[in-house]
């Protein structure tokens, strides 16, 4: 019998497919074996360090079940000491809360942000844009990072901050107007309110846009939806960080809902990007500088494909961190009448407090900011106890540089492992602070309170207070964050006293609702009554 030629071809093709499939399986097996071998080898180098009990997945199960990831690190540091290790799947992490080693690590040239994908850094990049390009937050310290950082830093110069000060003051005045309109009987989510105020500020300083978020606090409006979309996408990003296998769990409805939230956020950013392209923002904004970046990879102006994720990241970092810090401050002060009395005394001494004799407080000026010693101590204490970026930072030895030796040989970070110096665990460490769980602004009235007692690196003091991180990759927006917090809180306390709404429950319940979704917030929001110091409240 003659076999048709077509049959021969089909047979050869299927034979080839089977062989290729076999080769692919073999390559994957070898790849897997290599990963396991590397993991074992790194594990051997770290086996002398205290470590979490061994388990297949590492602490992922625990991390998934706890919303307060920052507290987990605080607990580990207390249980296992200032240098310990844990493993996420096949990646070994060295967690350091010793302030000297942490400072050295965060300033070390051979420890950078090039984190392995399987460690979850991809979740952050997928949050920033559908193409998962790296951004200023996740790029290694390379030419593109330098270009973006320079563009952003220009907008945060002191002279620029000074020029923007009246606009920042105005954003808070709008909040005061809305709170006065609502009245003291209604509980307002002050976390949402302060996020809106911060969004308006970053809109002005960063994008040269009036976002209109504060004045529409009471509506189900577009800026409000942008905030909701951002926070829902952030929650998905956090879930992805805590579960590197989440992307494959397509049978779960929450994974689909999270993806939809991320798409909604990307649409918000696409609209903002189109807006910026349509009408170039003022030269002082970082958006204007970003538009002019020459992409080091191509030698031509950066395209929207790479610019959009940067805008997304800056949009998030710009309002979320400062907004939550302000609302945690309002919460902490509402729990201690003494602290509030000291704030109001200071404001009164500067004519910034509404009183029956002076119902219209003086408008806050730039020069007042440095005179608000006690209020600034309160803000510092809030950033210590409720660090918005408290689960960061992470660094990895740069590829090819070999193992990184720290503390004169006290610690070696093997190439392929990750260095983690969680801010929350340093700032809440009983080894570094007296009574760290107590909200005590008075500690900031002592000289050198930021420094770890007796700790030195290269002959200089070492900080135990690092809410904005340390080293070349510290927070580029910290000047704006500080300025906004002092201006906003001085104005808010000048006009109102804030009482926690009964629906928020006890202090223990608020503590139990601490939630990390990249940044630290309260899962219940922060419902408060704004009680006018003198009715009716007027703004300047
Ligand atoms: C209270 C407010 C804020 C806190 C607590 C905070 C905290 C931090 C921390 C801890 C880091 C370092 C992360 C790391 O080392 O991995 C960081 C980085 C960063 N922050 Fe902030 N931040 C705040 C406000 C802002 C604002 C207003 C902006 C404005 C856009 C901003 C933009 C950024 C950016 C772009 C980075 C990445 C910098 C780089 O890697 O070069 N942050 N922030």
């Amino acid at each position: 019998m003659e076999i048709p030629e077509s049959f021969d071809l089909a047979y050869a093709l299927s034979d080839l497919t089977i062989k290729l499939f076999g080769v692919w399986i073999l390559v994957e097996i070898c790849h897997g074996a290599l990963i396991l071998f590397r993991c074992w080898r790194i594990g051997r180098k770290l086996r002398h360090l205290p470590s979490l009990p061994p388990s297949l997945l590492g602490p992922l199960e625990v991390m998934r079940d706890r919303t307060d990831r920052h507290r987990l690190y605080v607990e580990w540091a207390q249980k296992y000491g200032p240098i310990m290790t844990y493993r996420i799947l096949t990646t070994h992490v060295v967690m350091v809360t010793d302030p000297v080693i942490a400072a050295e690590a965060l300033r070390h040239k051979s420890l950078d942000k090039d984190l392995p994908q399987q460690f979850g850094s991809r979740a952050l990049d997928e949050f920033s844009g559908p193409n998962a390009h790296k951004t200023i937050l996740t790029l290694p310290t390379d030419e593109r990072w330098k270009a973006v950082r320079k563009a952003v830093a220009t907008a945060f110069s002191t002279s620029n901050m000074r020029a923007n000060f009246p606009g920042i003051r105005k954003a808070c005045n709008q909040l005061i107007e809305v709170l006065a309109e609502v009245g003291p009987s209604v509980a307002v989510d002050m976390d949402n309110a302060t996020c809106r105020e911060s969004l308006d500020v970053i809109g002005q300083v960063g994008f040269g846009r009036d976002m209109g978020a504060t004045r529409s606090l009471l509506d189900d409006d577009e800026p409000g939806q942008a905030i909701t979309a951002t926070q829902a996408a952030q929650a998905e990003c956090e879930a992805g960080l805590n579960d590197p296998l989440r992307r494959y769990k397509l049978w779960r409805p929450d994974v689909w809902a999270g993806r939809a939230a991320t798409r909604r956020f990307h649409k918000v950013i696409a609209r903002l990007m189109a807006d910026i392209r349509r009408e170039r923002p003022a030269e002082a904004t970082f958006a204007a500088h970003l538009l002019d970046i020459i992409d080091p990879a191509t030698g031509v102006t950066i395209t929207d494909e790479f610019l959009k994720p940067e805008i997304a990241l800056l949009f998030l970092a710009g309002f979320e961190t400062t907004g939550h810090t302000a609302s945690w401050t309002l919460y902490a002060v509402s729990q201690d009448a003494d602290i509030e009395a000291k704030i109001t005394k200071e404001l009164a001494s500067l004519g910034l407090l509404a009183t029956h004799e002076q119902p219209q407080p003086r408008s806050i000026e730039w020069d007042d900011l440095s005179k608000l010693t006690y209020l600034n101590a309160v803000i510092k204490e809030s950033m210590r106890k409720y660090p918005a970026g408290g689960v960061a930072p992470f660094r990895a030895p740069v590829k090819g540089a070999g193992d990184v030796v720290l503390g004169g040989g006290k610690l070696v970070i093997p190439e392929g492992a990750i260095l983690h110096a969680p801010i929350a665990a340093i700032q809440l460490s009983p080894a570094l602070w007296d009574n760290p769980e107590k909200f005590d602004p008075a500690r900031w009235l002592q000289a050198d309170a930021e420094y770890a007692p007796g700790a030195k690196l290269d002959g200089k003091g070492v900080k135990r207070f690092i809410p904005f991180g340390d080293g070349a990759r510290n927070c580029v927006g910290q000047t704006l964050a500080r300025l906004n917090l002092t201006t906003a809180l001085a104005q808010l306390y000048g006009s109102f006293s804030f009482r926690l709404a009964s629906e928020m429950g006890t202090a223990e319940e608020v503590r139990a609702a601490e939630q990390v979704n990249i940044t630290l917030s309260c899962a219940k929001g922060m419902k408060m009554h704004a009680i006018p110091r003198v009715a009716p409240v007027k703004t300047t």
Side-chain angles (χ1 to χ4, degrees), residues 194-412:
T194 49
C195 279
R196 282 169 180 266
E197 189 268 349
S198 299
L199 181 58
D200 281 345
V201 168
I202 200 72
Q204 172 193 323
V205 178
F207 305 113
R209 293 282 174 283
D210 178 5
M211 298 282 189
T214 310
R215 62 173 177 270
S216 57
L217 174 65
L218 303 176
D219 316 326
D220 182 23
D221 57 327
E222 204 184 317
Q225 285 158 23
I227 291 177
T228 316
T230 311
Q231 291 175 339
Q234 249 176 285
E236 175 57 19
C237 176
E238 176 71 23
L241 284 170
N242 292 338
D243 180 5
L245 302 178
R246 184 174 169 84
R247 68 182 59 254
Y248 306 111
K249 299 182 177 172
L250 296 177
W251 63 90
R252 285 174 48 167
D254 61 313
V255 172
W256 288 99
R259 288 180 170 208
T262 310
R263 280 196 299 276
R264 274 199 304 281
F265 171 62
H266 291 162
K267 278 191 191 145
V268 168
I269 298 303
R271 278 202 295 275
L272 178 59
M273 186 71 231
D275 204 23
I276 291 169
R277 282 276 179 215
R278 201 169 34 248
E279 193 190 331
R280 188 181 163 89
E283 280 318 299
T285 59
F286 59 62
H289 291 267
L290 286 169
L291 288 172
D292 293 341
I293 286 180
I294 301 294
D295 188 338
T298 58
V300 295
T301 339
I302 194 164
T303 60
D304 284 4
E305 188 191 343
F306 289 98
L307 199 51
K308 245 189 279 176
E310 298 291 358
I311 298 283
L313 190 275
L314 290 161
F315 182 88
L316 161 86
F319 84 85
E320 256 270 322
T321 46
T322 315
H324 293 328
T325 306
S327 79
W328 280 120
T329 314
L330 293 175
Y331 163 71
V333 174
S334 77
Q335 301 301 292
D336 192 327
D338 240 29
I339 296 177
E340 184 175 350
K342 287 181 180 140
I343 294 175
T344 52
K345 190 173 166 209
E346 183 173 74
L347 291 172
S349 72
L350 294 168
L352 296 171
L353 188 77
T355 58
H356 289 288
E357 298 74 49
Q358 190 197 358
Q360 177 66 63
R362 179 171 69 73
S363 174
I364 188 165
E365 299 299 337
W366 176 267
D367 289 341
D368 290 319
L369 301 173
S370 56
K371 295 179 192 151
L372 291 162
T373 314
Y374 189 75
L375 180 63
N376 283 316
V378 172
I379 294 169
K380 273 188 165 177
E381 182 64 347
S382 173
M383 289 198 283
R384 181 192 67 81
K385 180 135 192 247
Y386 303 104
V391 291
F394 294 88
R395 300 286 186 272
V398 293
K399 286 184 191 75
D403 300 350
V404 177
V405 180
L406 299 170
K410 204 166 160 191
L411 174 64
V412 177

Side-chain angles (χ1 to χ4, degrees), residues 35-51:
I35 291 175
L36 288 177
F37 173 69
R38 278 203 198 121
C39 172
W40 170 80
R41 216 184 47 187
I42 294 171
R44 269 175 63 89
K45 291 188 184 179
L46 296 172
R47 69 184 164 181
H48 61 288
L49 295 176
S51 132

Side-chain angles (χ1 to χ4, degrees), residues 49-111:
L49 295 176
S51 132
L52 290 186
S55 79
L56 193 63
L57 292 179
L60 286 176
E61 289 288 333
V62 193
M63 285 162 79
R64 239 186 355 233
D65 293 345
R66 295 232 348 212
T67 53
D68 55 352
R69 182 155 65 98
H70 64 306
R71 291 275 175 191
L72 205 56
Y73 303 142
V74 176
E75 288 163 21
W76 292 350
Q78 283 174 29
K79 188 160 179 196
Y80 299 101
I83 301 176
M84 53 94 54
T85 71
Y86 64 93
R87 182 177 48 74
I88 302 278
L89 299 177
T90 56
T91 308
H92 287 275
V93 184
V94 181
M95 193 179 99
V96 174
T97 48
D98 175 313
V100 180
I101 303 219
E104 187 186 353
L106 295 178
R107 296 171 200 174
H108 205 291
K109 291 242 169 350
S110 296
L111 287 170

